[in-house]
Amino acid sequence: MLVASLQAWAALPLMLGGLVLVGAVDLGANPQESIIRGLGQASLSLLIFAYAITALERLWQNLVAAGFGYGVTRAKPFGLVVARRGIGLWALTYALLHLLAYWLFELDQDTWQVLVDFFRRPFVTLGMLALLIMLALGVTSNRFSMQRLGPSWKKLHRLIGLIVILSLLHYALHKAGKNDFVEPLAFGLVAVAAWLLKLRRPS
């Protein structure tokens, strides 16, 4: 039940996009920029949530070991681990839509300009690198790849931490142009908190 609820929650930005298309939601004076930024923020939010699931699992195990949660076992917390793959794939979906919106609205469908921006604009470089690694994780998020890659599969999927760092830097550099670091800092603090929890061994 919780897994289905999380999947529905992850799809909310896409549902909001549908409301935008029918004119039910006003995106302000610059709707194109709002769409590009909104898709990027949705992707980053889900990416950090997927990254934090291991930390939440570890926190849950520590709480149970300390005697909290009477009558429960040291099971995975509320089925979050089961939902991690789906949440990660939703993050990838929004990242791809973010790139598509950037190509459509900011670059006027000029594919060559994407390559130019990749080499000339650092925040684009970081975002594209994050997306490429995320794609690698996305296409290998299946049993066949797990069996085929063996121990290398876990090593590959540990790169989610690198994706989070690249994505945060991408966002911060973009916001640097407006001297606005509040949102990147908030995302970063959540990611650091998750990282610190992951460092702790379950009791």
Side-chain angles (χ1 to χ4, degrees), residues 8 11 16 20 34 43 47 51 64 96 118 133 138 146 153-154 159 172 175 183 198:
L16 180 61
V20 170
S34 297
S43 177
L47 175 65
Y51 175 72
V64 171
L96 290 170
F118 178 82
I133 303 172
M146 290 178 69
W153 187 88
K154 280 192 175 182
L159 291 177
K175 284 289 191 175
E183 290 178 3
K198 285 162 73 78

Side-chain angles (χ1 to χ4, degrees), residues 154-187:
K154 280 192 175 182
K155 293 180 181 178
L156 174 63
H157 281 254
R158 287 195 186 105
L159 291 177
I160 185 173
L162 177 59
I163 298 171
V164 170
I165 293 171
L166 291 172
S167 299
L168 286 170
L169 290 174
H170 163 73
Y171 192 27
L173 284 178
H174 167 69
K175 284 289 191 175
K178 301 178 181 179
N179 201 28
D180 178 10
F181 296 100
V182 175
E183 290 178 3
L185 182 60
F187 279 110

Side-chain angles (χ1 to χ4, degrees), residues 27-202:
L27 292 179
N30 193 342
Q32 295 178 339
E33 182 176 354
S34 297
I35 291 171
I36 296 171
R37 309 312 165 213
L39 289 168
Q41 289 171 341
S43 177
L44 183 57
S45 299
L46 292 170
L47 175 65
I48 292 176
F49 184 38
Y51 175 72
I53 285 176
T54 299
L56 292 172
E57 174 193 359
R58 190 157 293 174
L59 177 62
W60 175 254
Q61 290 175 346
N62 287 331
L63 288 174
V64 171
F68 293 94
Y70 177 76
V72 300
T73 64
R74 293 169 66 108
K76 306 300 183 186
F78 316 117
L80 283 177
V81 174
V82 178
R84 177 166 48 197
R85 175 178 174 273
I87 293 170
L89 290 175
W90 272 114
L92 173 60
T93 299
Y94 288 120
L96 290 170
L97 290 173
H98 176 59
L99 175 61
L100 177 63
Y102 176 72
W103 176 72
L104 282 172
F105 302 136
E106 194 158 319
L107 302 183
D108 294 324
Q109 304 170 42
D110 185 347
T111 305
W112 176 252
Q113 190 61 41
V114 175
L115 295 174
V116 172
D117 280 3
F118 178 82
F119 290 105
R120 289 187 178 178
R121 306 178 76 181
F123 85 92
V124 175
T125 305
L126 293 169
M128 289 294 291
L129 289 174
L131 178 58
L132 289 172
I133 303 172
M134 201 185 302
L135 271 172
L137 269 61
V139 298
T140 57
S141 293
N142 51 72
R143 290 186 181 276
F144 173 78
S145 296
M146 290 178 69
Q147 295 170 354
R148 186 75 175 176
L149 295 175
S152 298
W153 187 88
K154 280 192 175 182
K155 293 180 181 178
L156 174 63
H157 281 254
R158 287 195 186 105
L159 291 177
I160 185 173
L162 177 59
I163 298 171
V164 170
I165 293 171
L166 291 172
S167 299
L168 286 170
L169 290 174
H170 163 73
Y171 192 27
L173 284 178
H174 167 69
K175 284 289 191 175
K178 301 178 181 179
N179 201 28
D180 178 10
F181 296 100
V182 175
E183 290 178 3
L185 182 60
F187 279 110
L189 288 174
V190 173
V192 169
W195 175 69
L196 291 174
L197 282 172
K198 285 162 73 78
L199 290 179
R200 294 189 60 183
R201 297 286 181 185

